Amino acid sequence: MTAADRPVAGVIGWPVAHSLSPRLHRFWLDRAGIDGFYVPLPVAPGHVAAALAGLPALGLRGVNVTVPHKQAVFDALDRVTPVARRAGAVNTVTVAEDGTLEGTNTDVAGFLGHLRQAAPVWRADAAPAVILGAGGAARAAAVALLDAGVARLVVVNRTVARAEALALALGDPRVAVAPWEGLAGALDGAGLLVNTTSLGMAGQPPLTPDLAPLAADAVVYDIVYVPLETPLLAAARARGLATVDGLGMLIHQGVPAFRAFFGAEAAADAATRAHLLAAL
Ligand code: ATR
């Protein structure tokens, strides 16, 4: 490999300094013995198209896309994969040999990959699933759960109109909507509760629903990872329920991105997790 061949990828966001992706990919690059780079790229709103158009000329292999650009990038791409269309968001852009740009979404696979690894007993078709929230993270989780084969999925959101819009966009008869006050009813017999809201995040109010109505073998998944154990997960653990935290989703979504950028396999394993935890 010559110096010119050293692969470079990065992450665009605004702000982007807080992103754990550079630390994640640096760890995997070093472990794979790849002499490459993964850099944070601060791209202000309104500059996404110009930034992406420059990727081929800069010789980048691609970029991950984080807040607030996951929707804005669509218009700047040559191709978008079906999963990204369904998720309504692109989190990974790759530069093809001919310089064209393809967008995909690895959050969907990351969400499910982490769930399967952290709670192997969970069965998609055993009981209904409940998602709290109706933003971009909720949509990625919903696409993942529908693809996994859930028989029923209830989306509960403070602003019920947003949950209805999400259900409409998903266009799947298995999806139902409930208002925030309907949460207890939605949890009755549910086998999976997923929090995609910001509640429970450091500096935000906690999320403390009564978990008693959940099925005895239910799994509680919080995509918040600061703190790693949210009040919701602590309450679930206290009830003896299986819990899934948000850090693993970040790691799992990175695996296909690393493959696309650097042509090598990365493992979402304990060493990777420990490396990220040291930075939290
Ligand atoms: P993302 O794209 O990361 O999912 P988002 O689109 O800002 O982020 O969505 C945040 C979610 O957290 C929304 O479902 C939001 O509810 P609303 O649609 O009613 O705004 C939810 N959320 C944020 N703060 C909340 C609060 N205090 N109580 C209940 N839900 C809250």
Side-chain angles (χ1 to χ4, degrees):
M1 187 184 280
T2 67
D5 291 326
R6 293 165 84 186
V8 184
V11 52
I12 64 166
W14 189 264
V16 77
H18 68 283
S19 172
L20 285 174
S21 289
R23 185 175 175 88
L24 174 66
H25 286 265
R26 179 77 261 150
F27 182 72
W28 284 337
L29 284 167
D30 290 343
R31 201 160 63 172
I34 297 172
D35 185 14
F37 302 92
Y38 184 102
V39 291
L41 299 164
V43 174
H47 293 265
V48 170
L52 289 186
L55 294 182
L58 288 166
L60 266 73
R61 299 283 182 90
V63 288
N64 283 122
V65 182
T66 189
V67 177
H69 301 318
K70 289 186 182 188
Q71 283 84 33
V73 290
F74 271 87
D75 291 340
L77 300 170
D78 297 294
R79 289 177 305 284
V80 174
T81 59
V83 68
R85 286 230 179 274
R86 290 169 61 226
V90 163
N91 82 326
T92 305
V93 174
T94 50
V95 181
E97 291 278 331
D98 63 359
T100 54
L101 302 177
E102 176 170 292
T104 190
N105 185 305
T106 67
D107 287 331
V108 172
F111 173 88
L112 193 65
H114 179 44
L115 174 58
R116 294 228 184 271
Q117 185 184 56
V121 293
W122 179 75
R123 293 286 169 269
D125 56 0
V130 177
I131 291 179
L132 278 176
R139 187 157 165 179
V143 170
L145 293 176
L146 292 170
D147 285 356
V150 291
R152 183 174 154 80
L153 176 61
V154 186
V155 179
V156 180
N157 197 46
R158 176 180 61 179
T159 310
V160 73
R162 275 189 94 195
E164 281 161 358
L166 174 57
L168 193 67
L170 292 167
D172 191 302
R174 294 172 291 168
V175 179
V177 164
W180 201 251
E181 311 75 61
L183 178 58
L187 293 183
D188 194 14
L192 176 66
L193 169 62
V194 182
N195 174 47
T196 73
T197 74
S198 46
L199 293 174
M201 204 179 279
Q204 299 289 322
L207 179 62
T208 53
D210 179 12
L211 299 178
L214 284 170
D217 60 351
V219 175
V220 178
Y221 191 157
D222 201 333
I223 69 157
V224 170
Y225 60 84
V226 180
L228 201 55
E229 182 167 89
T230 59
L232 175 67
L233 292 188
R237 195 192 300 273
R239 286 194 69 83
L241 300 174
T243 59
V244 182
D245 67 53
L247 187 60
M249 178 176 169
L250 175 85
I251 296 170
H252 278 260
Q253 64 76 34
V255 172
F258 186 83
R259 187 185 304 126
F261 299 149
F262 302 114
E265 287 306 313
D269 56 8
T272 306
R273 191 177 161 86
H275 185 71
L276 291 190
L277 273 176
L280 284 182

